[in-house]
Each structure stands twice: as structure tokens, then as C-alpha cells.
Amino acid sequence: MKKIEHIGIAVANADKAISTFNALFNAKPYKTEKVQSEGVNTYFYKMGESKIELLEATNPESPIAKFLANRKEGIHHLAFHVEDIHAEIKRLVKEGFNVLGEVKKGADNKLICFLHPKTTSGVLVELCQEANLE
Ligand code: ZN
């Protein structure tokens, strides 16, 4: 892991959050994408080499809806760029980290996988690999 790919922020109301972050960054999201499998709408801002990803739940079963019910709006996860997600997961499992589910297709043309916050000091960690390298 060499860089922060993005920081995910859970928002209750995307329109309201976008107007807040547009004002904060003096920029607009360069990309929005619905990720059906995760039950989220995503809105990306560029931040140098990294990105900020706003996450809005699209249904009550969405992990974001559950996060908001428990913890309100705020930082949801940190995503790290990896070259080879399968090799990295193998290494991390050996180190004792708990993987949440399988490697899957995420937003922004990425293969992603999450680590359980129980094993990462309370931080939900996402690993991201460029999908076109597969
Ligand atoms: Zn993410």
C-alpha cells in the first residue's frame, strides 16, 4: 500500500452534502456513479493524487444506511491503492486481518475489498486495484 486512493464519507443527503463540499473545495464532483451491489450513489472529487468519495444510501439495506443509523454522517472508510489486490489480501489474512466478503467491482473502475474495522483499530479499510489491470 503506497497511497491513499480515496476517503469515503457517508452523507445523509447528497444534494446538501454536494453543495457543502462544492463550497469547501471550490470544485464540483468530476464523476457520479451508482453502485448497485453496495446500495450506494457515489460522488467523487479530485484531491491531488487522492479523491474524496461521498456515499449516499440508495436503500435501507445499504451498508451506508446502517452506518448513518448508528454513527451519523462522517468519515466511513479509508481506501488504499494496491497493485495486486489478491496478493495483498493473501498477505493481510496471513497477518491476521479479517476480510469482509469477496473482491468485487466497486465504483470508478476498481476491484475492491474491505477489511473489518475490528482488526484495523476501528477504521474500515478498502483496498483498491485498477480493474483494467486484471
Ligand atoms: Zn470507497
Side-chain angles (χ1 to χ4, degrees):
M1 280 176 234
K2 298 254 160 64
K3 69 167 188 179
I4 294 176
E5 215 286 329
H6 64 268
I7 297 169
I9 299 175
V11 304
N13 178 314
D15 288 341
K16 197 166 159 242
I18 286 166
S19 92
T20 300
F21 284 94
N22 283 357
L24 181 66
F25 300 146
N26 194 24
K28 290 191 165 69
Y30 71 92
K31 181 171 186 173
T32 75
E33 191 177 338
K34 184 173 192 156
V35 185
Q36 201 78 45
S37 61
E38 293 290 296
V40 294
N41 285 325
T42 62
Y43 306 86
F44 286 95
Y45 293 87
K46 274 229 156 56
M47 198 54 60
E49 269 197 52
S50 303
K51 300 161 195 159
I52 301 294
E53 175 187 40
L54 304 184
L55 298 150
E56 175 190 46
T58 56
N59 69 65
E61 298 310 306
S62 161
I64 296 303
K66 290 175 183 157
F67 179 89
L68 289 171
N70 292 331
R71 305 192 27 192
K72 309 273 188 282
E73 291 187 299
I75 293 179
H76 178 258
H77 63 270
L78 294 183
F80 298 97
H81 171 82
V82 297
E83 294 293 335
D84 181 342
I85 196 164
H86 295 284
E88 196 63 8
I89 286 167
K90 212 182 238 181
R91 182 183 76 80
L92 292 167
V93 166
K94 228 184 256 175
E95 293 283 355
F97 294 97
N98 271 10
V99 174
L100 275 170
E102 305 279 300
V103 174
K104 58 198 163 193
K105 188 111 200 310
D108 205 23
N109 197 37
K110 299 280 191 290
L111 290 176
I112 64 165
C113 191
F114 288 94
L115 301 180
H116 198 291
K118 246 194 275 184
T119 56
T120 51
S121 296
V123 178
L124 179 60
V125 169
E126 176 183 353
L127 307 178
C128 290
Q129 179 195 321
E130 294 290 338
N132 56 15
L133 292 179
E134 265 289 272

